[in-house]
Amino acid sequence: MKYDEFTGEVQHRLELPDTGRTVRAIRATLMTLGQRIPEGAADDLAASLPMEIKWYMTGAVHDHGQRFGWQEFLARVTEIEGEGTDPPEAAYHARVIIDLVETLVPPSDFQQLRDQLPESEADENWRKLFEVVDAGGWGEAEEAQTGGGPQPDATDSD
């Protein structure tokens, strides 16, 4: 997948009004994730992404492997996204972006990411980041959210 395809897909999935907001959401999510996981894991995960997207997880991050939880992740993503983005919106953006990343990287690299982030209730509860992936991916989650796909027109009579 090329950079334009990646950003276009994210913009479509998030229904963002312009490319600038889309790129900020991608940068905020992947840069913050790159700060949280070890450098080698960031390199592995980013290897299958477009070069410009890969840079957010690798080149833009100067301090990998920081220890912070889900709430701090959301605070950082929210701050980087800016323009009135609130934590619930930032969380949704991150979940959808991570779901797209999951479709592009080898399963072993995505599992390595999951292994880096505690997912238990007693821990930092990173499983929230994977809610769209765990719901079957963006298409399935979107369909469930909208009631199961196309609805019959009120004028249809079978």
Side-chain angles (χ1 to χ4, degrees):
M1 179 175 276
K2 296 184 185 319
Y3 174 78
D4 290 343
E5 293 171 302
F6 189 96
T7 56
E9 183 63 25
V10 170
Q11 185 172 357
H12 167 72
R13 290 180 180 201
L14 296 179
E15 299 179 0
L16 293 173
D18 58 64
T19 305
R21 286 219 44 209
T22 304
V23 170
R24 278 192 302 278
I26 295 167
R27 179 174 54 101
T29 296
L30 296 182
M31 200 168 125
T32 306
L33 190 60
Q35 292 169 347
R36 176 59 178 80
I37 62 177
E39 186 173 5
D43 289 340
D44 290 347
L45 189 66
S48 300
L49 302 177
M51 180 177 48
E52 302 89 342
I53 302 299
K54 174 183 177 176
W55 186 81
Y56 296 136
M57 291 192 78
T58 58
V61 177
H62 303 294
D63 189 15
H64 292 276
Q66 298 175 35
R67 299 295 298 175
F68 55 84
W70 171 247
Q71 293 304 318
E72 177 63 20
F73 175 83
L74 288 183
R76 291 181 186 201
V77 171
T78 301
E79 182 179 336
I80 294 168
E81 276 200 53
E83 288 192 27
T85 303
D86 60 16
E89 185 177 23
Y92 176 69
H93 292 172
R95 288 178 184 118
V96 170
I97 291 165
I98 291 302
D99 178 62
L100 179 58
V101 167
E102 188 267 341
T103 67
L104 300 175
V105 303
S108 60
D109 291 342
F110 197 76
Q111 186 59 51
Q112 182 181 26
L113 169 65
R114 291 190 86 136
D115 292 345
Q116 298 291 324
L117 303 170
E119 296 185 36
S120 72
E121 286 289 342
D123 226 327
E124 299 169 14
N125 207 10
W126 282 92
R127 74 174 162 201
K128 293 177 181 180
L129 181 62
F130 304 105
E131 285 179 350
V132 174
V133 171
D134 293 342
W138 180 78
E140 294 297 317
E142 182 74 8
E143 192 169 297
Q145 192 174 34
T146 58
Q151 302 297 311
D153 187 21
T155 58
D156 285 350
S157 56
D158 287 359

